[in-house]
Amino acid sequence: MGSQPLPEPVTDAGREGLAALLARPEHAVVALDFDGTLAEIVTDPERARAHPGAVPALARLAPHLASVAVVTGRPAGAAVRHGGFAGVPGLERLVVLGHYGAERWDAVTGTVRAPAPHPGVASVRAELPGVLDASGTWQGTWTEDKGRAIAVHTRRATDPQAAFEALRAPLAALAERHGLIVEPGRFVLELRPPGVDKGVALAGYLRETGARAVLYAGDDLGDVAAFAAVEELRGEGVAGTLVCSGSAEVTVLAERADLVVDGPSGVVELLTALADKLG
Ligand SMILES: O=P(O)(O)OC[C@H]1O[C@H](O[C@H]2O[C@H](CO)[C@@H](O)[C@H](O)[C@H]2O)[C@H](O)[C@@H](O)[C@@H]1O
């Protein structure tokens, strides 16, 4: 069986980023979003699982690198569970930055570090049913209580886009009343504490590891902050490659990416190609 061909970034910065990663992988971090990047989008978030090729590819790739990190809006423990990341040979140093960086799971300890919960979440939890009722009947709208944040999903609503648009303003007002922000995503509006995002989380982690190169892959609006952080870090001499896990639902990342691949299966092909090159 031959090697998986390595796709070529379309930008100079992306080509430089990939070349730096391949030249000195021990100084490189590969960081990836979970839903829509490592896992196919499904209608029920509880049923999301890492693409079957994702963990095997990461397990081959990670030993060559400074580190692999998953940077997700999910609670860190949920991402570990849905991803099947715990106890995998090769992923002994994996880190999951959950809740947009508010939580952290380290494979080396198997534990989650998290700050005290924001008090606004409990108030939002109490008021949300009333706000949803007052916003009209969006049949199929569904609430995911993530403990430190609450996500209102419209993917299963009769008109997902209309429900998303109609709920945006009332949920923003509810969040603001209690010191939270709204994080919009793929047919989801998440009410969560401010102060951290994927860019802050990723930049902090790259500084901690002393990485000189990073490849970041994402698919959704929450990943824009991570893209911006990588763009900024290029100015500080960290080589960066930005990968978009492409979908018809979100186009903003594709416009900024050095490389667009075909959803999670394309991400897995890329990870496999990198592992083949470094193996
Ligand atoms: O940062 P991510 O790893 O991309 O997590 C962001 C949100 O992902 C999940 O919702 C998305 O995936 C669901 C399962 O495929 C899908 O049904 C939903 O429409 C998507 O928005 C998750 O449920 C959220 O909690 C995450 O914040």
Side-chain angles (χ1 to χ4, degrees):
M1 203 169 69
S3 297
Q4 179 74 37
L6 186 62
E8 193 176 338
V10 295
T11 62
D12 288 344
R15 284 189 287 271
E16 281 163 24
L18 210 48
L21 184 155
L22 291 170
R24 300 185 72 190
E26 69 279 14
H27 294 295
V29 166
V30 168
L32 308 121
D33 163 66
F34 186 69
D35 292 282
T37 299
L38 287 175
E40 293 288 354
I41 291 292
V42 290
T43 50
D44 179 357
E46 262 307 305
R47 291 182 173 271
R49 295 289 178 271
H51 182 288
V55 169
L58 287 172
R60 285 181 57 215
L61 183 57
H64 299 281
L65 302 172
S67 173
V68 170
V70 175
V71 190
T72 175
R74 296 262 188 178
V80 172
R81 208 172 53 247
H82 289 271
F85 297 136
V88 178
L91 296 184
E92 293 86 354
R93 289 175 294 124
L94 181 76
V95 166
V96 176
L97 304 174
H99 273 298
Y100 300 92
E103 285 188 350
R104 171 170 172 161
W105 176 87
D106 282 274
V108 73
T109 59
T111 57
V112 173
R113 264 195 282 148
H118 189 293
V121 177
S123 310
V124 161
R125 183 176 292 120
E127 286 181 31
L128 183 60
V131 170
L132 292 177
D133 278 353
S135 305
T137 310
W138 295 104
Q139 211 184 349
T141 293
W142 176 77
T143 298
E144 177 189 13
D145 192 332
K146 305 200 287 184
R148 293 173 190 286
I150 298 182
V152 179
H153 289 266
T154 67
R155 181 173 295 280
R156 286 181 271 168
T158 38
D159 185 340
Q161 189 61 36
F164 181 90
E165 295 303 338
L167 292 171
R168 225 179 158 132
L171 292 181
L174 173 64
E176 195 182 345
R177 280 202 296 283
H178 299 292
L180 303 186
I181 58 168
V182 172
E183 180 80 49
R186 294 174 71 165
F187 296 125
V188 64
L189 292 158
E190 182 168 341
L191 288 75
R192 71 170 184 87
V196 69
D197 61 27
K198 290 190 180 186
V200 172
L202 179 63
Y205 185 65
L206 294 177
R207 289 204 179 94
E208 176 189 320
T209 54
R212 304 310 301 156
V214 57
L215 180 146
Y216 184 83
D219 72 309
D220 203 352
L221 297 177
D223 299 305
V224 171
F227 268 40
V230 171
E231 286 162 354
E232 201 175 319
L233 284 165
R234 282 174 178 156
E236 298 173 24
V238 178
T241 307
L242 293 170
V243 178
C244 169
S245 172
S247 76
E249 286 179 359
V250 180
T251 53
V252 65
L253 287 180
E255 289 156 14
R256 262 168 107 150
D258 304 305
L259 178 63
V260 181
V261 299
D262 187 15
S265 60
V267 172
V268 167
E269 284 173 10
L270 172 62
L271 297 172
T272 304
L274 287 170
D276 287 349
K277 276 262 178 204
L278 294 171

